[in-house]
Amino acid sequence: MAQYNGVTVKVVSDGKSCPMYDDPDADGHENPFSETSPPQKYIEAVAGAKFSVAVTLEPNFKFANCDGVRVTFALDGSGRKYEGDIESTNAIGGSLENRTTYFGRVRKWCPQTGQFQVGDVTFGELKLHERSDATSSLKDIKGLGQLQVCWQRILFGNETTREHHKSGKEPVSEVSEKVLKGKAIDTAIKFAPSSLFSNLQPLIGPIKYTRKEGIILPGLLGKRVRLNILYRSKRTLQMLGCIPHSPSPAPSNRTSGAVVIKPDDSKEELRLLRAQLTELENRLSNTTQPIVKSEEQRSASKIKREREDKENDGQRKKSRRSGPPEVVDLTAD
């Protein structure tokens, strides 16, 4: 989760809060009030998993006499935004449930049935193709792979009646590699319909709802705070350096007779290794005792060597030739 001045943002998937990782390319100049360079966090996106976003105002959040806080969720830069208000009258002194707004279930118009569908948002796989795609441009994928969460202190104005949009830009599900230009994006948001908003009855007229107008507070307290959450697959997070690579499988403890020391039980393995080394040393000392000859054995060996030396000397004398030495004239023709 991410926290900023008493506001906590977390993404929940499969019933668990997704760990948020720092941006490895952050240079320290991120500004939460900036439209172009707000802080960024990375989360792991598992294809097919449903998710929701929760924004909670902690007890130390300062309302500064505002009527409430308006939270806005934007998906993949599609231009469609979802709003939720946290009213100060309910939040001050109330439970965390009253201080939290959620995003996770959306309404979507289905032109085939002429009805609104209600469903969950999920992480999906982004399909890449090599052909040039005239329908996708850099503008279309500017916010691809990104959840933007904004919040702002406001004063409530008059209530107005609004209508759910019947049309809207479809989320990007495939894109050309040429348009993507090497960006490390491999996931996209999908819509998983679960029911029809009008309970399978033909839609008669537009679906309307009321919303209080928001009046922005002057000064720094009225500025909009932004946080970008970039969702990527585990493999992409490893490539970006957000998370370490998966460790290689540990070798077997009996490979080639060697003892492998594991980090978690290194002390016990080291004790066993020392015991085995001591046992090997004892076996070696028992099988390689030095041979000590007795005094009689040394005397017998000495007499035998002297006898062999005399016999060899006599044979050399017998082999010598008698008579004058033979002279060879090397100057003769």
Side-chain angles (χ1 to χ4, degrees), residues 294-307:
S294 62
E295 196 67 32
E296 296 179 355
Q297 291 175 329
R298 286 198 296 269
S299 300
S301 298
K302 183 176 180 181
I303 295 172
K304 183 178 180 181
R305 285 197 300 273
E306 290 178 352
R307 186 184 302 116

Side-chain angles (χ1 to χ4, degrees), residues 118-136:
V118 177
D120 301 297
V121 285
T122 66
F123 296 119
E125 183 179 356
L126 181 65
K127 297 180 181 179
L128 303 179
H129 54 76
E130 296 181 357
R131 67 181 185 276
S132 59
D133 191 354
T135 60
S136 296

